[in-house]
Amino acid sequence: MTATEVRAGSGGLVPPAPARSGRRRPVTRRRLVQFAFLVPALVYLVLFFGYPVVKNLMMGFQEYTTRTFYTGEAPWVGFANYVTAVTDPVFDQALLNTGLFTVGSIVGQFTIGLLIALFFHRRFHLSGVLRSLLLLPWLVPMIAASAVWRWILDTDHGVLNRTLDLLPFVDGRPAWLTSTTLALVAVIMVNIWLGIPFNATILYGGLQEIPEELYEAGSLDGATGARAFWHITWPLLRPVVTVVLVLGVVYTLKVLDVILGLTNGGPANATQTISTFSYHMSFREFDFGVGAALGNILVLISLVFAIVYLRLNRRAIDE
Amino acid sequence: MSRISRSRALLATAAAVPLVLVAACGGTDGTDGGGDGGGEVTELHVVDYHNNEPNKSVWQGVLDGCATEVGVSLNRETVPGGDLIAKVLQMSSSRTLPDVLMLDNPDVQQIAESGALAPLSDFGLDPGGITEGVLSASTYEGELYALQPVTNTIALFYNTQMLEEAGIEPPSTWDELESAAAALTEGDRYGLALSAINTYEGTWQFLPFMWSNGGDESDIATPEVAGALQLWKDLLDAGSMSQSVVTWSQGDVADQFGSGNAAMMVNGPWNFGTLAEADADLEYDIVPIPAPTSGDTIISPFGGEAWAVPQTGDADRMAVAAEFVQCLVGEQAVVDAAVGTNTVPTDPSLADTVVEQVPNLASFAAQVPDLRARTGELGPEWPTQATAIYEAVQNALVGGMSPEDALAQAQG
């Protein structure tokens, strides 16, 4: 929309024939002023987004180690870092874990978030207070939250297992963070807890946008309860749902702090994802080249979802 | 919106970005801004990671003592332990390295390899009586790059009361360890606690078992290493230690022992303070880590930090800095640091003086002559193999693999 406006505007401003040269100067000045307004944003983007991305892309093709920092030498190695990264036995598992972690987190966050949004859409006493309390997970620093979750999930002394002990039908204590089968589930659970406020808040905002009259009209035609949800709420909420899901995927793919804080990718790589693997290669083994290569692979995956998001967005506008 | 979200993902995943930005900000070839350029040296810039009490003050005292001896004042900067290497890399690329730099001993060779450190033979420094194993960690390609005054290692702590009640003597062999741990396991209490976490701490705790059994880090797919791993697996499978060992750091292990959840633990002398705080009535004693069979030598890795002279380009300052580092391995500095921070001298001839003052250090001091450097064989390649070792340990303990298969996979 903006693009067409600018085109239309400039078509009117810049005369096709150079004959009336007297008016050219104010036009170029105007252009300069327009450009000057763009400069701060451009500088910011180039410096803080452009440079790191380009640098990281280049680093993926370089032998970039601790030595590089002193000597400044980072020999070009072509795709060697990518080969090292992809052929590492941990990579396959990290890729699979990244997928499971993302899908599991998104499904959980979205479903619970939507249920909570629907619940709070109906006004009742203290609903405002309760809704703001839901934002708490957002306010707790992740380092503190993961320390508390580690304590909750501890096999022998954790409050979760101590509570399960009291239940008659639970046999033994699940090793939440120390068994290779449960650790990923536990990490996904914590990440769902963390993501619910985001999903609930955005979806709640979307629900508020749906005009009340539609429900009134619908109820006359017999659309109440579940039918009202499927035929009124869901179709009208779809643009918001798309935003929430795509942003959710991009945010979840890159999650690092939750996993580092809870399991550090373990036990036995059971919760290793591409982002934790990349962190490990860069900051534990000081192989920044391989770390950057892994980072780039993750960027590529995020990019696919970002493009999907852009296309869906464009289609929505076209409609 | 999409641009922002995408860029945020990029930022977060491009893990190396902060360091790179920092690297890009450097690049000038100037020397340290504080350099007096050939004039008399009056101040030294020192960087270390002893930023917590009591170690911070103890080291301040030791450093001040040497500053007085050398005749300079100090500009000391302490950074958190985890940030030191990042800080060093930043300083290397911006050519703002300090005059005196402290490094954790397994990092010395890696930083020496980068060219940021000056060989100490340039200044004619004398390592004195520092034991061979410790020197090998500070040596890269035949040149000595740092001097380490004090060290620490790990041993077996046991709760004297619990062992007395069960009528058990502290174990000295693997068989005794297994039976003692099994006998001491009772209710919510485990016989043994150790750290098999997926960080270098887990590797560090496994090394005494691996090395004492004849294993070697250059090839871990051997029966000797598998034997050591089998011992840990047996202890876990028998229920003598919690499965949580795969997530416990050494600090967590000390907490478990301090609160009575474990009768024995593998840990180091830096926990004396934690244990005293946890329970004033806790009575414990320390013996060396059990040997595979009676009479075998116990070979343990050593911890502790070494002091180096970075290449700042100012020959006068570097000469004074070298003098300062020499002072740090002198008797006075070593004894003060050892007693104050619960560590043992790297020079065995000073051990008795320290153990007299801190008797709990005896079993650590006894191990000094046989200590082995983690980076002694592999040098800067150590981090890769250290990762392989803790991965194999985790795969065998909780990943459902046999020790042999786990080690073979990790060796690659």
Side-chain angles (χ1 to χ4, degrees):
Chain A
M1 217 161 88
T2 36
T4 42
E5 260 174 21
V6 167
R7 217 177 295 135
S10 60
L13 285 168
V14 181
R20 289 182 287 174
S21 57
R23 286 189 65 187
R24 203 187 254 167
R25 198 178 270 167
V27 167
T28 39
R29 179 186 272 174
R30 193 164 161 175
R31 283 254 140 178
L32 270 177
V33 172
Q34 283 173 345
F35 183 70
F37 274 109
L38 279 177
V39 165
L42 284 176
V43 167
Y44 179 77
L45 280 177
V46 168
L47 212 59
F48 291 100
F49 294 136
Y51 176 77
V53 170
V54 171
K55 183 76 187 176
N56 206 53
L57 274 176
M58 281 167 58
M59 238 172 144
F61 294 106
Q62 288 173 311
E63 188 185 316
Y64 208 107
T65 61
T66 44
R67 174 194 271 273
T68 309
F69 287 87
Y70 187 76
T71 59
E73 292 163 14
W76 203 257
V77 290
F79 280 91
N81 288 331
Y82 287 89
V83 173
T84 313
V86 173
T87 54
D88 194 298
V90 179
F91 182 81
D92 291 344
Q93 187 164 17
L95 192 65
L96 177 68
N97 286 346
T98 308
L100 291 175
F101 179 76
T102 308
V103 172
S105 298
I106 294 295
V107 169
Q109 287 172 3
F110 180 78
T111 317
I112 301 176
L114 183 60
L115 288 176
I116 288 176
L118 285 170
F119 180 68
F120 281 103
H121 191 47
R122 302 183 299 176
R123 293 182 188 285
F124 51 90
H125 287 298
L126 289 180
S127 66
V129 177
L130 286 173
R131 199 158 45 83
S132 27
L133 280 179
L134 268 177
L135 297 179
L136 270 180
W138 249 353
L139 304 178
V140 182
M142 199 48 226
I143 295 293
S146 59
V148 173
W149 274 106
R150 275 188 60 173
W151 175 75
I152 293 173
L153 296 170
D154 185 86
T155 310
D156 298 313
H157 309 286
V159 71
L160 179 62
N161 276 2
R162 285 296 165 113
T163 313
L164 289 178
D165 276 352
L166 301 175
L167 300 177
F169 48 87
V170 180
D171 212 22
R173 293 175 179 168
W176 294 110
L177 295 176
T178 57
S179 92
T180 44
T181 40
L182 277 182
L184 190 62
V185 176
V187 171
I188 291 174
M189 266 170 22
V190 174
N191 196 50
I192 289 175
W193 168 80
L194 195 69
I196 286 173
F198 172 76
N199 284 264
T201 309
I202 309 259
L203 291 171
Y204 179 79
L207 286 178
Q208 298 290 87
E209 293 291 304
I210 302 176
E212 202 55 38
E213 301 87 71
L214 286 178
Y215 291 101
E216 285 164 19
S219 67
L220 291 179
D221 294 332
T224 51
R227 289 190 65 171
F229 176 78
W230 286 116
H231 294 289
I232 303 172
T233 315
W234 187 250
L236 288 169
L237 202 59
R238 262 188 52 196
V240 181
V241 169
T242 318
V243 174
V244 167
L245 287 183
V246 177
L247 287 186
V249 168
V250 175
Y251 287 152
T252 310
L253 279 173
K254 71 179 174 69
V255 162
L256 185 70
D257 46 5
V258 181
I259 299 176
L260 285 189
L262 282 172
T263 62
N264 193 29
N269 292 319
T271 55
Q272 195 82 260
T273 62
I274 307 246
S275 68
T276 58
F277 191 33
S278 165
Y279 175 85
H280 176 83
M281 290 316 279
S282 293
F283 296 107
R284 289 291 168 264
E285 294 200 22
F286 303 122
D287 203 335
F288 295 96
V290 176
L294 285 163
N296 290 334
I297 291 173
L298 199 55
V299 168
L300 207 69
I301 300 174
S302 299
L303 210 60
V304 172
F305 283 96
I307 290 170
V308 169
Y309 168 73
L310 280 179
R311 302 212 69 164
L312 287 174
N313 231 14
R314 190 171 301 159
R315 213 171 59 191
I317 287 169
D318 289 347
E319 279 167 7
Chain B
M1 202 164 183
S2 74
R3 184 157 52 185
I4 292 168
S5 68
R6 196 194 313 161
S7 309
R8 284 188 65 164
L10 295 182
L11 271 182
T13 51
V17 161
L19 280 177
V20 170
L21 272 176
V22 147
C25 296
T28 51
D29 277 318
T31 55
D32 187 2
D36 289 345
E40 202 185 333
V41 182
T42 54
E43 192 190 63
L44 290 180
H45 180 196
V46 179
V47 170
D48 68 293
Y49 66 39
H50 297 294
N51 65 332
N52 286 322
E53 295 300 347
N55 287 8
K56 185 178 182 182
S57 304
V58 172
W59 274 104
Q60 188 67 51
V62 173
L63 295 171
D64 285 342
C66 280
T68 314
E69 193 174 313
V70 178
V72 291
S73 63
L74 287 186
N75 164 20
R76 182 186 179 201
E77 192 181 346
T78 57
V79 298
D83 297 346
L84 182 68
I85 292 298
K87 174 95 180 162
V88 170
L89 296 180
Q90 175 202 340
M91 292 186 301
S92 325
S93 70
S94 61
R95 294 292 185 269
T96 52
L97 284 160
D99 300 305
V100 176
L101 174 66
M102 186 220 74
L103 290 167
D104 192 14
N105 77 75
D107 296 330
V108 171
Q109 298 194 26
Q110 189 140 31
I111 303 300
E113 185 205 22
S114 78
L117 304 179
L120 297 183
S121 59
D122 291 3
F123 314 104
L125 287 202
D126 172 22
I130 297 178
T131 184
E132 200 62 35
V134 173
L135 283 180
S136 73
S138 310
T139 306
Y140 175 68
E141 292 187 341
E143 286 281 1
L144 184 65
Y145 283 91
L147 290 179
Q148 181 175 346
V150 292
T151 182
N152 55 41
T153 184
I154 43 180
L156 188 73
F157 288 58
Y158 65 93
N159 187 311
T160 39
Q161 209 183 340
M162 289 177 188
L163 266 75
E164 253 170 48
E165 274 169 17
I168 291 171
E169 287 294 306
S172 63
T173 63
W174 286 6
D175 285 343
E176 287 174 23
L177 178 68
E178 282 193 77
S179 54
L184 288 162
T185 302
E186 166 187 304
D188 273 349
R189 187 184 79 193
Y190 289 98
L192 179 69
L194 49 77
S195 167
I197 195 173
N198 56 340
T199 66
Y200 299 150
E201 272 187 57
T203 306
W204 148 266
Q205 287 240 329
F206 183 65
L207 285 176
F209 295 90
M210 169 179 138
W211 281 341
S212 303
N213 201 35
D216 190 277
E217 62 269 32
S218 58
D219 179 10
I220 56 172
T222 60
E224 288 82 10
V225 183
L229 190 45
Q230 188 67 52
L231 170 75
W232 277 27
K233 192 172 167 58
D234 289 346
L235 283 164
L236 185 78
D237 291 347
S240 303
M241 60 186 192
S242 166
Q243 192 172 322
S244 300
V245 293
V246 295
T247 58
W248 283 342
S249 69
Q250 296 184 99
D252 297 326
V253 170
D255 288 341
Q256 294 292 325
F257 182 78
S259 53
N261 292 329
M264 303 184 284
M265 71 163 175
V266 177
N267 225 324
W270 58 90
N271 292 298
F272 290 170
T274 317
L275 293 178
E277 264 175 44
D279 181 1
D281 299 329
L282 179 73
E283 281 175 36
Y284 63 92
D285 212 337
I286 303 154
V287 288
I289 284 175
T293 52
S294 181
D296 288 348
T297 312
I298 299 141
I299 305 160
S300 296
F302 62 88
E305 297 76 26
W307 298 79
V309 179
Q311 296 276 15
T312 55
D314 184 332
D316 292 338
R317 293 180 73 89
M318 285 165 70
V320 177
E323 222 180 300
F324 182 82
V325 169
Q326 179 76 72
C327 169
L328 288 178
V329 293
E331 184 169 347
Q332 183 69 43
V334 169
V335 173
D336 286 353
V339 172
T341 63
N342 289 320
T343 48
V344 290
T346 50
D347 177 351
S349 69
L350 301 174
D352 289 345
T353 325
V354 173
V355 171
E356 254 171 48
Q357 297 181 55
V358 191
N360 261 346
L361 287 172
S363 51
F364 299 99
Q367 299 193 51
V368 169
D370 293 316
L371 289 180
R372 178 161 158 181
R374 281 166 276 176
T375 48
E377 265 182 30
L378 300 176
E381 300 305 314
W382 166 246
T384 311
Q385 197 67 348
T387 304
I389 292 174
Y390 74 63
E391 279 187 352
V393 168
Q394 292 227 321
N395 276 324
L397 291 188
V398 294
M401 293 175 86
S402 72
E404 288 79 10
D405 291 346
L407 290 163
Q409 183 194 304
Q411 181 63 37

